[in-house]
Amino acid sequence: MTDRSVAQEAKRRQLLDAAVRVFARKGFHTARVGDVAEEAGVSHGLLYHYFESKDELLQAIFVATWTELLESLAAVEDSGEPAREQLRQVAAILLRSWRRQPDVVRVIVQEIGRGGELGSRSADLRAVVDSIERIIRRGQESGELRAGLDARLAATIFYGGIDEFLTSWVFGLVPDGDDAVAAAERTLLDVVCGGLAVGAGAPA
Amino acid sequence: MTDRSVAQEAKRRQLLDAAVRVFARKGFHTARVGDVAEEAGVSHGLLYHYFESKDELLQAIFVATWTELLESLAAVEDSGEPAREQLRQVAAILLRSWRRQPDVVRVIVQEIGRGGELGSRSADLRAVVDSIERIIRRGQESGELRAGLDARLAATIFYGGIDEFLTSWVFGLVPDGDDAVAAAERTLLDVVCGGLAVGAGAPA
Amino acid sequence: MTDRSVAQEAKRRQLLDAAVRVFARKGFHTARVGDVAEEAGVSHGLLYHYFESKDELLQAIFVATWTELLESLAAVEDSGEPAREQLRQVAAILLRSWRRQPDVVRVIVQEIGRGGELGSRSADLRAVVDSIERIIRRGQESGELRAGLDARLAATIFYGGIDEFLTSWVFGLVPDGDDAVAAAERTLLDVVCGGLAVGAGAPA
Amino acid sequence: MTDRSVAQEAKRRQLLDAAVRVFARKGFHTARVGDVAEEAGVSHGLLYHYFESKDELLQAIFVATWTELLESLAAVEDSGEPAREQLRQVAAILLRSWRRQPDVVRVIVQEIGRGGELGSRSADLRAVVDSIERIIRRGQESGELRAGLDARLAATIFYGGIDEFLTSWVFGLVPDGDDAVAAAERTLLDVVCGGLAVGAGAPA
DNA sequence: AATGAATGAGTTTTCATTCAT
DNA sequence: TATGAATGAAAACTCATTCAT
């Protein structure tokens, strides 16, 4: 029975992976359930053994990804590092996810980060910005970061920069090799913490 | 005949506005042609007198929005103002002109990324970030902005911040009155130009 | 506009008639929506202009038939005739409906009189028995009918006899010409009013 | 091997009982094979060890129910009792034995009428009414029952009364305790043998 | 210009049945 | 025997698009 459960979980995972690839390639709406099944090498009927509906497939992708992500962010927040270092780690986690699982990022960015199908998930989206906001706020309280700025708005900008990099990569608007990802990370920190203005950016 | 053309153009515009509202509310794929017609208060059959297809509706929205936008940005670039002021104006234009229809922009971006009818338009998309990039680059060349940063990446971050504000408003994650828009604009400039770090942001 | 309404109503009727024929021939579950459309000579898509779903088609058949029927029964009840004559008329109305519209009776008997799809309609079914019960009760009060019997149960038996004749005809278990219908009507009255037992049935 | 056969037969019976309950509750078409399996507490796959198909399940129910029933009726016919007593016993058998599964009878009747897998069974259906008819006819020949009435039609009415009681109970239109069953039986005999009309029903 | 009836390709979903274990 | 994963035919329903009026 555990054997069966394990096998079942593995199969679910396999179908989910296929769905991620197909949704990334064709988009959720354009992809047919049969496409996902074909990609997974099974009949479309089987999908309905493991998932209630096409929508649940998308939800499941989101949940799996987001749960893992939020745990990583919590670990960063609890690390006790300086605010800037924590922000760097947040950026690293999010930006590098593109290299590790570009298809997942693609689906999330296209179908979920945007209004499309899952408006209900907006609360989860907010959780990421919340985390960044807390880091910034603590940095301000500890005197490490400038106090005059609204932490919520600053967090939004920081997250927006990350999101835009991912979007740019997803749409192929900019190069996206390992170096590019590292450069994006560095520049984001530099800009957001140091500022663009001359005389602003004290060496990090 | 001019009279007729004018009336025709007005009607087209009216239908386009309805489409913008509907697509923004439900997303392009989810919205039905009948929804757009209903929103415009006409029969769905009439839409096909003015537009070839549902896709053309999207194209038309894109062209109308983007053309106007790129013209505004070009004017800003040609204004001869300092870089920071130009960035402020860009932020103002984007935040204010899109506040009414941010989801449409998202839908467009998604459709382009997916390579459907709009696949050919991706160059236009990039043009906005290009414009910001040019402003930053000139600011660096004139010595107004720090030279050490990659202008393209910085432009992406700047644009991403704007985009994220729009998203936040759409999802209601943040208040979106006129004051909020002004605050977002101010904070964006402050963060991106001045930096978050203490000692960084000398008042511009 | 009235013109259009009239045409629309006529079309609805036409589709309903086709549905009756098809459901009578193949049964509701076995019949496909496309069969009904084909019978009506239209595309299946058009059915959904006029009816919400396959189920609504069945409901509509029932409602149209039943409304008419209940009106006829009300007229009988209000006629002031003796109870036995009223019962005769009720039997006549119900039994002769088989000759007038056998397909409708077929559908009602198969799909609705039985539990199948429309348990919700049982209240309407009851209305017919209610009507018969009132006639019997008044006959008992006026001294025309024996008082010792439960009017509800007697009404159930009377209605059951009618229903069984219809069922027998539907399933072809007995002859069903005009003469047979008349004989059924006569025998039903004779049995239920006069009784089977010798010495029982004083000539009515 | 006999042991095995016995065990196998018991299991078959158990599955059949489950099927009866489920078909009665949801109707044959609406019920899924999985529902029957669940009701029986086994996997749906196992059903196919005992029955060829869903249709065979229905066939088997029919055969089991009907065989038993016809044997009972034959015993009544052979009992040598007066006609009225025989009719009473028939009513008792049908009302009592079907009270537990009236919908199954309906489902069977419907399926037969529709000419599916059960189309060949319609002769068996008729056999019940045939039996009643013979009892009435013999009663007429022996002088116990009025001769002027068509025995076939009278049998149909008698059977219809029984059927309608079952329907009423299924729909909850009438109380269905043991007392109610007894009252129905008594009234049916009273009405059909004695007649509703005043002066008709000499006390049986 | 304007309407909405009509079409039909395309999609998701269900479920009886099979079969490897 | 017993399980439930796997299959795929079949069916309801949607909706962009056309076209007669």
Side-chain angles (χ1 to χ4, degrees):
Chain A
M1 172 158 169
T2 296
D3 248 28
R4 187 160 272 169
S5 287
V6 167
Q8 174 143 348
E9 196 49 44
K11 194 81 183 196
R12 222 184 116 95
R13 187 83 218 168
Q14 168 195 340
L15 298 180
L16 223 40
D17 287 346
V20 165
R21 287 195 297 277
V22 173
F23 290 166
R25 194 188 314 135
K26 312 183 69 165
F28 176 75
H29 275 107
T30 309
R32 284 161 298 157
V33 170
D35 294 333
V36 175
E38 194 182 9
E39 174 80 21
V42 301
S43 75
H44 68 270
L46 189 58
L47 279 175
Y48 289 89
H49 256 293
Y50 293 90
F51 301 93
E52 290 271 316
S53 65
K54 190 187 174 191
D55 271 335
E56 206 207 279
L57 223 37
L58 188 58
Q59 293 268 359
I61 292 169
F62 178 81
V63 168
T65 308
W66 222 250
T67 304
E68 203 180 336
L69 174 65
L70 291 181
E71 285 169 1
S72 303
L73 295 187
V76 169
E77 279 194 69
D78 291 343
S79 68
E81 304 269 3
R84 180 174 179 137
E85 172 57 18
Q86 287 190 20
L87 289 176
R88 200 196 57 70
Q89 286 176 14
V90 168
I93 289 169
L94 288 167
L95 292 175
R96 288 176 195 179
S97 67
W98 166 249
R99 297 297 288 170
R100 280 188 297 122
Q101 17 183 9
D103 281 341
V104 172
V105 171
R106 216 175 214 115
V107 173
I108 301 262
V109 165
Q110 287 191 350
E111 308 299 341
I112 302 180
R114 315 292 162 165
E117 204 60 12
L118 277 66
S120 58
R121 292 295 175 192
S122 64
D124 301 281
L125 269 189
R126 180 169 11 193
V128 175
V129 181
D130 285 346
S131 180
I132 298 171
E133 182 184 348
R134 281 191 298 271
I135 295 173
I136 291 176
R137 198 182 304 284
R138 288 198 207 103
Q140 291 176 321
E141 287 163 0
S142 74
E144 186 188 350
L145 298 182
R146 282 170 60 195
L149 294 166
D150 181 308
R152 180 76 191 168
L153 297 181
T156 300
I157 294 165
F158 187 79
Y159 179 73
I162 292 171
D163 203 25
E164 195 63 32
F165 279 127
L166 293 174
T167 302
S168 298
W169 293 329
V170 164
F171 293 133
L173 300 179
V174 286
D176 65 346
D178 277 339
D179 289 353
V181 173
E185 184 186 320
R186 214 179 320 116
T187 305
L188 179 64
L189 266 286
D190 234 21
V191 168
V192 171
C193 292
L196 271 176
V198 163
Chain B
M1 165 142 179
T2 297
D3 255 22
R4 176 161 291 172
S5 286
V6 166
Q8 174 149 346
E9 196 50 43
K11 193 83 184 193
R12 229 183 108 96
R13 185 80 216 172
Q14 168 195 342
L15 299 179
L16 226 39
D17 286 347
V20 164
R21 287 194 296 275
V22 173
F23 290 167
R25 199 186 308 137
K26 312 184 70 164
F28 177 73
H29 270 108
T30 309
R32 286 162 298 170
V33 170
D35 293 334
V36 174
E38 193 184 7
E39 174 81 20
V42 301
S43 76
H44 65 272
L46 189 58
L47 278 175
Y48 288 88
H49 273 277
Y50 293 91
F51 301 95
E52 286 276 316
S53 67
K54 192 186 174 190
D55 275 334
E56 206 210 276
L57 219 41
L58 190 61
Q59 290 262 10
I61 290 171
F62 177 82
V63 169
T65 308
W66 227 254
T67 303
E68 203 179 332
L69 174 67
L70 292 182
E71 284 169 1
S72 303
L73 295 186
V76 169
E77 281 194 65
D78 292 344
S79 69
E81 304 270 3
R84 181 177 177 135
E85 172 57 18
Q86 287 190 18
L87 289 176
R88 201 194 56 71
Q89 287 176 14
V90 167
I93 289 169
L94 293 176
L95 289 176
R96 286 172 192 175
S97 75
W98 288 359
R99 200 151 81 82
R100 284 172 318 157
Q101 37 175 297
D103 259 0
V104 171
V105 175
R106 304 220 138 56
V107 168
I108 288 171
V109 169
Q110 280 186 54
E111 293 311 310
I112 289 177
R114 201 164 288 144
E117 300 299 310
L118 249 41
S120 55
R121 298 287 182 183
S122 71
D124 298 286
L125 243 198
R126 203 183 328 215
V128 174
V129 182
D130 286 346
S131 178
I132 299 171
E133 182 185 348
R134 279 193 299 272
I135 293 173
I136 292 177
R137 197 181 306 285
R138 289 199 207 102
Q140 292 175 322
E141 287 163 0
S142 74
E144 186 190 352
L145 299 181
R146 283 168 61 196
L149 294 166
D150 182 307
R152 180 74 191 170
L153 298 182
T156 300
I157 294 164
F158 187 80
Y159 179 75
I162 292 171
D163 203 26
E164 196 62 31
F165 280 126
L166 293 170
T167 300
S168 299
W169 292 330
V170 168
F171 286 148
L173 301 181
V174 146
D176 67 342
D178 283 340
D179 287 356
V181 174
E185 185 187 318
R186 212 177 324 115
T187 305
L188 178 64
L189 266 287
D190 234 23
V191 167
V192 171
C193 292
L196 269 176
V198 163
Chain C
M1 172 157 171
T2 295
D3 248 26
R4 187 161 273 168
S5 286
V6 167
Q8 173 143 348
E9 196 49 44
K11 195 80 185 196
R12 222 184 116 95
R13 187 83 217 168
Q14 169 195 342
L15 298 179
L16 223 40
D17 287 346
V20 165
R21 287 194 298 277
V22 174
F23 290 167
R25 195 188 312 138
K26 313 184 68 165
F28 176 74
H29 275 108
T30 309
R32 286 160 296 159
V33 170
D35 294 333
V36 175
E38 193 181 8
E39 173 80 21
V42 301
S43 75
H44 68 270
L46 188 58
L47 278 176
Y48 290 90
H49 256 292
Y50 292 91
F51 301 94
E52 289 271 316
S53 66
K54 191 187 173 191
D55 272 334
E56 206 205 280
L57 223 37
L58 188 58
Q59 293 268 0
I61 292 169
F62 179 81
V63 168
T65 307
W66 223 249
T67 302
E68 203 180 336
L69 173 65
L70 292 181
E71 284 169 1
S72 303
L73 296 186
V76 170
E77 279 195 69
D78 292 343
S79 68
E81 305 269 5
R84 179 174 180 138
E85 172 58 18
Q86 286 189 20
L87 289 176
R88 199 195 58 70
Q89 286 176 14
V90 168
I93 289 169
L94 289 166
L95 293 175
R96 289 176 193 178
S97 67
W98 165 249
R99 297 297 289 168
R100 280 190 296 121
Q101 17 183 9
D103 281 343
V104 171
V105 171
R106 218 176 212 113
V107 173
I108 300 264
V109 165
Q110 288 191 350
E111 308 299 340
I112 302 181
R114 315 291 159 168
E117 204 61 13
L118 275 67
S120 58
R121 292 296 174 191
S122 64
D124 300 281
L125 270 188
R126 181 175 5 199
V128 174
V129 181
D130 285 347
S131 179
I132 299 171
E133 181 185 349
R134 278 192 299 270
I135 293 173
I136 292 176
R137 198 181 305 282
R138 288 197 208 104
Q140 292 175 321
E141 287 164 0
S142 74
E144 187 190 352
L145 299 180
R146 285 170 59 195
L149 294 166
D150 183 307
R152 180 76 191 171
L153 297 181
T156 300
I157 294 164
F158 187 79
Y159 179 73
I162 292 170
D163 203 24
E164 194 63 32
F165 279 127
L166 293 174
T167 302
S168 298
W169 294 329
V170 164
F171 293 134
L173 301 180
V174 286
D176 65 346
D178 277 339
D179 288 352
V181 172
E185 184 185 319
R186 214 178 321 117
T187 306
L188 179 64
L189 266 286
D190 234 22
V191 167
V192 171
C193 292
L196 269 176
V198 162
Chain D
M1 167 145 176
T2 296
D3 256 21
R4 175 161 293 173
S5 287
V6 167
Q8 174 152 345
E9 196 50 42
K11 193 82 183 193
R12 226 183 109 95
R13 185 80 216 173
Q14 168 196 342
L15 298 179
L16 225 38
D17 286 346
V20 165
R21 287 195 296 275
V22 172
F23 290 167
R25 200 186 309 136
K26 313 183 68 165
F28 176 73
H29 271 109
T30 310
R32 288 162 296 171
V33 170
D35 294 333
V36 175
E38 192 184 8
E39 174 80 21
V42 302
S43 76
H44 65 271
L46 189 57
L47 278 175
Y48 288 88
H49 272 276
Y50 293 91
F51 301 95
E52 287 276 314
S53 66
K54 192 186 174 190
D55 275 334
E56 206 210 275
L57 218 42
L58 190 61
Q59 290 262 8
I61 290 172
F62 177 83
V63 169
T65 307
W66 228 254
T67 303
E68 203 179 332
L69 174 67
L70 291 182
E71 284 168 2
S72 303
L73 295 186
V76 169
E77 282 193 65
D78 291 343
S79 68
E81 304 268 5
R84 181 175 177 136
E85 172 57 20
Q86 288 190 19
L87 288 177
R88 200 195 56 70
Q89 287 176 15
V90 168
I93 288 168
L94 293 177
L95 289 176
R96 284 170 194 176
S97 74
W98 289 357
R99 202 150 81 80
R100 283 173 317 159
Q101 36 174 299
D103 259 358
V104 171
V105 176
R106 303 222 140 53
V107 169
I108 288 171
V109 169
Q110 281 186 52
E111 292 312 310
I112 289 177
R114 200 164 291 143
E117 299 299 310
L118 248 40
S120 54
R121 298 287 183 183
S122 70
D124 298 285
L125 242 198
R126 205 183 326 217
V128 175
V129 181
D130 286 346
S131 179
I132 299 171
E133 181 185 349
R134 279 192 301 272
I135 294 173
I136 291 176
R137 198 181 306 284
R138 289 197 207 103
Q140 292 175 321
E141 288 163 359
S142 73
E144 187 190 350
L145 298 181
R146 284 170 60 198
L149 294 167
D150 183 308
R152 180 74 191 171
L153 298 182
T156 301
I157 293 165
F158 187 80
Y159 178 75
I162 292 171
D163 203 28
E164 196 61 33
F165 279 126
L166 294 169
T167 301
S168 298
W169 292 331
V170 167
F171 287 148
L173 301 182
V174 147
D176 69 344
D178 283 339
D179 287 354
V181 174
E185 186 186 317
R186 212 179 324 117
T187 305
L188 180 63
L189 266 286
D190 234 22
V191 167
V192 171
C193 293
L196 268 176
V198 163

